[in-house]
Amino acid sequence: MTYKQATYDEPLIFELGKPGRRGHLPPKTDVPPREITIPSNMKRKELPQLPEMHEGEVVRHYLHLSQMNYCVDTGIYPLGSCTMKYNPKINEALARNEKMCYIHPYQPEETVQGILELIYNLQKILSELAGLPYCTLQPAAGAAGEYLGLNLIRAYHHDRGDYDRIDIITPDSSHGTNPASTVMNGFNIIEIESNKDGQVDLEALKAVVSEKTAGFMITNPNTLGIFESQIEEIAKIIHEAGGLLYYDGANFNAIVGMIRPGEMGFDVLHFNLHKTFSTPHGGGGPGAGAVCCSERLSSYLPVPVVEFDAENNRHFLNYDIPKTVGKTHGYYGNIAIALRGYAYICALGAEGLIETSKQAVLNANYVMRKLEEIDGLVLKFNRELPRKHECVLDATPLKHEIGVGAMDIAKMLISRGYHAPTVLFPLIVHEALMIEPTENENKESLDRYIEVFKEEIAKAREDPQYAHDAPYNTAVGRVDDAWATRNLILSWKMIKELEKKGQWPPKWPEDH
Ligand SMILES: Cc1ncc(COP(=O)(O)O)c(C=O)c1O
């Protein structure tokens, strides 16, 4: 493997400025200044250290930075599990509307009826899609929804005096956040193996359920894109053992309007509104992990619950939930995300939502069948089973043959100006390439992607070193991800500190 130092030559904005340079010189004002008294302890001791630049330089700098980035507006972004969909600009415009931006969560309820109505309606729609009648929009991300859902499960068991239920069972195909939320919540995680079809092994499940089982956590379709067809049987096993079923709805875009988790036997679920229903997802941006649940978990929902008083035709915030697990997020949650989701759902309507799911599934299966034709890539687990919204190919044969693995393929695609798939996840596929084209791409776009895939693997077969040295023509070369994670350098100031100590640029180990 050839790691390269980052060839990041874009100067920082602080390095571009020169003292005395100005953007604009506003004319002198003839309005007398207003006396404002700032307490001395709140006054700056020194002027802010801002770079002095002219406007053109600033615009060029930021435009260039944005051009160094790849985004869903630039091209296909088939990042499996992370679901980067195109987000209609009208939703962005709505979220930025001043009527939305300038409302304050401390405003009296009478003055925010519009947004309360929107929250209430969205909760109802999500409940309908989930097949679970209660909903909160508070959690700020999928993982936060998982954490809340697990809290509800715990509250339910504790309320019944069932304090020994501490086990959450999850398949080995589960998303990393599932075991993480479980452990953070104080539960004990029990992982069970998938069977040869990439689904939950029922015998393995039966072997671990006990009077300690608090719940079972799964995403369906799972992270292999395979629909867990035995889900009703699984629900029966868990319910008979006294546990509850948690549905990780991050993959909901595969099933919107076609099947409802409540009817599969689930008790609680989170949506990733920021994946399924508009909003750019990624880069740690804001999200919304709305949680829906059944009647038996509803009395533990976080406060405030947005309700409708039909007699007085007004929406209100209900804080009077005696058994609530408490607060999950300040105020009403990440409301701008909810607004985008609501706009997306209303624009598509029931039929449109179903159509998007069908298209997402069709696209994933099309890509899968084309890519598995490439010598060196295989579809692990039962290849007869259709996949849903995403598929996972395994590059292990290619790796054994010529030493080129999933990471090399990802970097070669980046060289060609395409976003890479998710790699090396799920963990049960060794050289995983996890592809989720989404419903946004048309056949021509998918064909181009498939073609580039084929071309790059053909080049790697001629010269494996070409693959190891990729990516080419990018601002940053092949970096050592593990080193970077263990040595977090997150800001310009940290670089400057390291420079002073003579520790920048970093010296990487010779031999990786
Ligand atoms: C299957 C699955 N579950 C949970 C999550 C966690 O969602 P979030 O990133 O919003 O916390 C993701 C994230 O992409 C996911 O793909």
Side-chain angles (χ1 to χ4, degrees):
M1 196 68 60
T2 324
Y3 289 105
K4 287 183 255 172
Q5 296 279 2
T7 49
Y8 185 87
D9 58 4
E10 179 70 14
L12 296 164
I13 196 153
F14 296 96
E15 293 163 344
L16 284 173
K18 279 257 164 62
R21 242 175 227 170
R22 301 289 299 262
H24 289 284
L25 274 182
K28 279 220 161 70
T29 174
D30 53 3
V31 180
R34 246 180 75 201
E35 274 304 311
I36 306 173
T37 342
I38 300 173
S40 60
N41 64 341
M42 295 183 81
K43 279 192 183 156
R44 283 183 181 281
K45 303 275 176 287
E46 55 183 52
L47 286 175
Q49 304 295 301
L50 297 176
E52 295 172 64
M53 307 172 72
H54 75 77
E55 185 182 310
E57 263 183 312
V58 177
V59 170
R60 282 182 194 156
H61 177 72
Y62 284 111
L63 188 70
H64 186 206
L65 285 186
S66 77
Q67 286 170 333
M68 287 161 76
N69 202 4
Y70 189 95
C71 62
V72 78
D73 288 352
T74 322
I76 181 171
Y77 206 134
L79 198 57
S81 207
C82 291
T83 319
M84 292 301 268
K85 300 212 294 193
Y86 176 74
N87 300 284
K89 296 293 169 248
I90 189 162
N91 299 348
E92 295 300 316
L94 288 170
R96 286 197 200 107
N97 182 300
E98 59 181 28
K99 290 189 181 145
M100 168 67 207
C101 293
Y102 296 144
I103 55 174
H104 194 278
Y106 279 141
Q107 275 178 235
E109 273 167 25
E110 294 70 49
T111 66
V112 286
Q113 281 297 304
I115 197 73
L116 292 182
E117 183 179 344
L118 186 149
I119 294 172
Y120 184 80
N121 289 351
L122 183 57
Q123 288 178 175
K124 287 271 167 264
I125 295 170
L126 295 177
S127 280
E128 179 65 27
L129 292 170
L132 292 164
Y134 294 85
C135 185
T136 173
L137 300 189
Q138 282 193 25
E146 291 168 24
Y147 191 81
L148 170 64
L150 289 160
N151 259 339
L152 299 182
I153 291 178
R154 169 182 296 100
Y156 167 80
H157 289 309
H158 282 196
D159 204 16
R160 294 155 51 94
D162 232 349
Y163 294 100
D164 292 338
R165 292 197 177 269
I166 51 160
D167 291 346
I168 295 287
I169 306 167
T170 193
D172 57 4
S173 63
S174 75
H175 190 260
T177 49
N178 293 186
S181 315
T182 303
V183 172
M184 277 183 72
N185 216 300
F187 283 109
N188 182 28
I189 187 87
I190 299 187
E191 197 176 89
I192 51 167
E193 277 184 22
S194 302
N195 63 21
K196 62 176 180 17
D197 287 340
Q199 301 190 25
V200 169
D201 184 331
L202 288 189
E203 292 316 311
L205 177 64
K206 284 180 196 156
V208 294
V209 284
S210 71
E211 65 287 351
K212 285 190 174 170
T213 302
F216 180 75
M217 203 170 185
I218 191 170
T219 175
N220 196 16
N222 63 28
T223 55
L224 296 164
I226 298 174
F227 189 83
E228 298 274 352
S229 53
Q230 310 171 101
I231 194 66
E232 285 168 315
E233 181 68 16
I234 294 171
K236 194 161 166 270
I237 297 170
I238 297 296
H239 284 150
E240 277 176 5
L244 298 178
L245 256 80
Y246 185 95
Y247 182 89
D248 173 342
N251 293 340
F252 208 86
N253 49 325
I255 60 159
V256 190
M258 294 201 276
I259 190 167
R260 307 195 310 160
E263 286 161 12
M264 296 184 218
F266 285 93
D267 301 280
V268 52
L269 137 172
H270 82 258
F271 284 97
N272 276 24
L273 288 190
H274 49 291
K275 285 171 62 171
T276 311
F277 304 113
S278 198
T279 301
H281 169 246
V291 165
C292 291
C293 68
S294 58
E295 170 97 50
R296 59 177 155 183
L297 291 176
S298 62
S299 42
Y300 313 107
L301 279 171
V303 284
V305 173
V306 179
E307 290 181 22
F308 181 55
D309 170 3
E311 209 173 296
N312 297 304
N313 192 25
R314 63 185 282 275
H315 294 84
F316 65 101
L317 298 169
N318 184 4
Y319 282 89
D320 187 20
I321 313 278
K323 293 183 181 175
T324 177
V325 291
K327 256 188 121 22
T328 295
H329 192 285
Y331 311 114
Y332 326 142
N334 275 344
I335 287 313
I337 312 295
L339 190 143
R340 288 174 173 99
Y342 188 65
Y344 180 87
I345 290 170
C346 292
L348 283 168
E351 279 178 20
L353 287 176
I354 294 173
E355 204 45 49
T356 56
S357 277
K358 286 185 181 168
Q359 193 63 45
V361 172
L362 182 64
N363 280 358
N365 282 275
Y366 180 73
V367 171
M368 174 182 88
R369 290 298 176 218
K370 291 284 179 187
L371 290 185
E372 67 165 350
E373 287 169 6
I374 301 178
D375 192 16
L377 301 187
V378 290
L379 192 60
K380 278 257 312 244
F381 302 102
N382 190 343
R383 63 171 296 283
E384 298 305 319
L385 283 179
R387 292 338 191 226
K388 296 294 169 191
H389 62 303
E390 65 195 4
C391 61
V392 182
L393 286 127
D394 187 5
T396 303
L398 192 71
K399 179 105 183 182
H400 285 160
E401 217 186 309
I402 59 167
V404 170
M407 189 61 94
D408 297 311
I409 296 173
K411 302 295 183 195
M412 289 191 292
L413 290 171
I414 293 171
S415 296
R416 293 288 301 270
Y418 285 87
H419 201 284
T422 296
V423 291
L424 312 179
F425 173 76
L427 301 178
I428 50 176
V429 178
H430 211 66
E431 288 293 326
L433 289 157
M434 185 191 213
I435 301 162
E436 181 175 2
T438 80
E439 70 277 9
N440 296 145
E441 302 305 320
N442 55 34
K443 184 169 173 298
E444 294 76 46
S445 160
L446 297 179
D447 283 339
R448 270 197 302 278
Y449 195 67
I450 292 159
E451 210 37 54
V452 172
F453 234 97
K454 286 185 180 160
E455 286 170 11
E456 290 305 301
I457 292 183
K459 279 192 217 163
R461 283 194 172 280
E462 274 172 27
D463 175 12
Q465 195 56 38
Y466 163 80
H468 301 319
D469 287 347
Y472 306 92
N473 318 318
T474 48
V476 176
R478 174 83 65 117
V479 292
D480 182 343
D481 305 328
W483 187 93
T485 322
R486 289 182 194 132
N487 300 276
L488 284 182
I489 299 165
L490 300 174
S491 72
W492 176 70
K493 278 192 182 149
M494 290 171 82
I495 295 180
K496 291 286 149 197
E497 286 302 312
L498 289 173
E499 262 177 4
K500 268 191 225 154
K501 293 185 206 156
Q503 291 171 4
W504 185 266
K507 300 210 180 356
W508 291 2
E510 289 287 301
D511 182 24
H512 289 271

